[in-house]
Amino acid sequence: MEHDTRITRAWVVRPEVKSPDAKRDASSALEEAVSLAAALPNIEVMGSDVVRLAKIQPGTLFGTGKIEELHDRFHAEKIDLLLIDGPVTPVQQRNLEKALEAKILDRTGLILEIFSDRARTREGVLQVEMAALSYQRTRLVRAWTHLERQRGGLGFVGGPGETQIEADRRAIDEQLVRLRRQLAKVVKTRELHRGARAKVPYPIVALVGYTNAGKSTLFNRVTGAEVMAKDMLFATLDPTMRRLELTDGPEVILSDTVGFISDLPTELVAAFRATLEEVLAADLILHVRDISHAETDNQAEDVAKILTSLGVDENIPQLEVWNKIDQMEADEIAASQARSERSDDIFAISAITGEGIDPLLAEIAERLQGEHSIEELSLPFSAGKERAWLFAEGVIESEAQTDDGFDITVKWTPKQAAQFKKL
């Protein structure tokens, strides 16, 4: 596929309305927005600023003075894209594009573009397209026929026909119906694969965390895989799974998932729920944090909120992995390590240097071994399936044949006991 290689000159703004409840620092939020823009190919960010507003203008978002200032700057510096780190209504978008003579992309549109560029699996591509069409259906300020274009991305940023307004919502609805049918088939195939994995006695360890926290770097270090790991927001989108042998512990399936982000569009939380199903099925969750980041606590709160919205069981044990201590000063490292040592659920590491990873892996092994109990089972000769399962799980301590079948002594975890009862 040929990609549009034209460089788009962009400016990033973050509207900031005075609020005593604001948790995030405006400059840090703007920095993240710039990083989001930089994660999109063919975008050159020419500058950025925080726009402080007394109130949101319903028709144009900004006041007339700010619009005139932006118009003059865009004309002088030949900027043709304004990225707004926040929600923009269809009316505001149309009015701003007309006044500024530039394209407008809000936070949702930008993240959709990045997701489209990162999606690799068939399911990921379908989910992005569905989310994008649902988003565009309310706007119709950009040609939705990007699905037929020979270019990358979703078509919000550029490409042929970007100024055409497509008013036929029925055509979009028909396309959504087709995509839902295709997605249903893909999801069914994944369920079959997941069912096959469930028969394999490997616990699932899911890596979750704010985007760019270093999940993929950690994943690569412990598994030897080559997952894309860059200093870039949303460097990985689709979950990757690898088998990992733990020293003095069970073999596990390690799953690297899409990074979370603050104010993740609700359309995407719903669209990517299936992609994050491995988290729902996990035996252990590793919450990877960039402990060197100024907003690390707020980022952790955002991750916790998304996990709750996904319906993750509170009973699934979680470990906090404080990553990137290599990017901290010596006194900061010592303080982080001291805090982590006071909790059994926190581990300070560097996925780059490997510091702290061995204790983390040892804790994972211990957690997944779980509390074992010894029980006596009597199985008839007809219970061949159940007996085979016990052997496959490696839980049989001893076995004696009787006139009616087998007396078996097993040593297993509560989870294995529950699985056995379902056979």
Side-chain angles (χ1 to χ4, degrees):
M1 177 181 289
E2 294 183 3
H3 290 252
D4 184 358
T5 56
R6 187 178 69 90
I7 298 298
T8 299
R9 295 163 65 88
W11 192 272
V12 182
V13 299
R14 177 177 175 82
E16 194 75 16
V17 180
K18 295 179 182 178
S19 171
D21 300 326
K23 288 186 177 181
R24 304 191 72 203
D25 177 67
S27 58
S28 294
L30 178 65
E31 183 181 338
E32 179 181 283
V34 171
S35 296
L36 276 172
L40 200 59
N42 306 334
I43 292 289
E44 183 180 359
V45 178
M46 305 304 297
S48 62
D49 61 346
V50 174
V51 179
R52 314 234 176 232
L53 302 172
K55 65 176 182 177
I56 297 291
Q57 299 298 323
T60 56
L61 184 64
F62 307 122
T64 54
K66 187 63 182 181
I67 291 175
E68 289 176 5
E69 176 192 330
L70 289 172
H71 178 273
D72 293 343
R73 175 183 289 158
F74 288 7
H75 181 73
E77 300 184 30
K78 297 182 179 179
I79 293 168
D80 45 17
L81 173 64
L82 174 63
L83 298 170
I84 300 177
D85 185 36
V88 178
T89 68
V91 170
Q92 290 169 345
Q93 182 173 347
R94 284 195 291 269
N95 290 339
L96 279 173
E97 288 187 334
K98 185 176 181 180
L100 298 174
E101 299 179 277
K103 300 168 191 170
I104 304 294
L105 201 59
D106 68 0
R107 185 180 179 87
T108 299
L110 175 60
I111 294 175
L112 281 168
E113 275 287 340
I114 297 171
F115 275 22
S116 173
D117 187 65
R118 300 288 183 272
R120 293 293 177 266
T121 66
R122 179 61 177 156
E123 181 180 14
V125 170
L126 289 172
Q127 287 172 333
V128 170
E129 290 185 357
M130 285 180 60
L133 283 172
S134 297
Y135 169 75
Q136 286 179 315
R137 189 183 186 281
T138 64
R139 297 171 179 263
L140 296 174
V141 294
R142 205 55 86 230
W144 69 273
T145 50
H146 61 272
L147 295 173
E148 298 164 13
R149 294 190 190 133
Q150 296 299 302
R151 66 176 295 274
L154 291 167
F156 297 129
V157 172
E162 68 260 21
T163 59
Q164 175 188 347
I165 296 178
E166 173 54 65
D168 191 354
R169 284 191 171 89
R170 182 167 51 184
I172 292 182
D173 290 340
E174 289 173 356
Q175 180 68 354
L176 280 169
V177 169
R178 286 194 292 270
L179 289 172
R180 287 191 186 100
R181 287 174 183 161
Q182 294 175 46
L183 183 60
K185 293 178 181 177
V186 174
V187 170
K188 188 173 182 180
T189 302
R190 283 186 73 254
E191 288 174 350
L192 291 174
H193 291 167
R194 192 166 61 249
R197 283 201 308 271
K199 296 177 182 178
V200 179
Y202 297 147
I204 294 176
V205 179
L207 297 175
V208 302
Y210 206 81
T211 188
N212 214 28
K215 296 184 307 302
S216 296
T217 304
L218 176 60
F219 182 89
N220 290 346
R221 173 169 280 276
V222 300
T223 65
E226 296 181 356
V227 174
M228 181 182 180
K230 291 186 177 180
D231 184 17
M232 176 188 294
L233 299 186
F234 296 123
T236 50
L237 174 59
D238 294 301
T240 305
M241 308 186 76
R242 292 288 187 278
R243 196 170 75 176
L244 173 64
E245 280 192 49
L246 295 173
T247 304
D248 300 325
E251 290 187 57
V252 303
I253 294 177
L254 192 63
S255 175
D256 181 22
T257 61
V258 60
F260 299 161
I261 194 167
S262 65
D263 304 321
L264 186 70
T266 53
E267 302 97 323
L268 288 178
V269 173
F272 283 84
R273 184 184 177 90
T275 304
L276 294 168
E277 277 182 355
E278 302 305 340
V279 179
L280 300 177
D283 297 271
L284 178 65
I285 294 174
L286 302 186
H287 176 187
V288 182
R289 292 176 56 178
D290 177 358
I291 201 64
S292 70
H293 198 286
E295 295 284 325
T296 184
D297 290 335
N298 288 332
Q299 291 177 352
E301 286 183 20
D302 291 329
V303 170
K305 287 177 183 176
I306 294 177
L307 288 176
T308 300
S309 71
L310 288 171
V312 173
D313 191 338
E314 292 181 357
N315 295 321
I316 297 177
Q318 292 190 31
L319 298 179
E320 277 205 7
V321 181
W322 290 3
N323 189 28
K324 300 193 181 182
I325 59 173
D326 56 287
Q327 296 185 13
M328 303 168 69
E329 299 297 331
D331 57 338
E332 294 175 321
I333 294 173
S336 294
Q337 290 174 331
R339 287 176 62 193
S340 66
E341 287 169 1
R342 290 196 293 268
S343 172
D344 294 334
D345 297 331
I346 299 174
F347 291 83
I349 72 157
S350 167
I352 291 290
T353 67
E355 182 180 353
I357 287 182
D358 287 342
L360 171 63
L361 294 178
E363 179 67 18
I364 293 172
E366 185 173 330
R367 292 291 182 104
L368 294 177
Q369 292 284 24
E371 295 183 5
H372 290 75
S373 61
I374 296 178
E375 292 187 39
E376 302 291 336
L377 303 176
S378 294
L379 299 182
F381 288 116
S382 59
K385 174 184 175 183
E386 290 81 355
R387 182 166 170 262
W389 185 88
L390 293 172
F391 273 105
E393 288 285 308
V395 298
I396 294 178
E397 294 285 293
S398 64
E399 178 186 63
Q401 186 171 332
T402 65
D403 293 338
D404 301 319
F406 301 93
D407 285 340
I408 303 175
T409 301
V410 298
K411 182 178 181 181
W412 56 12
T413 64
K415 180 179 178 180
Q416 289 170 321
Q419 289 176 328
F420 179 76
K421 290 177 182 178
K422 294 179 181 179
L423 294 176

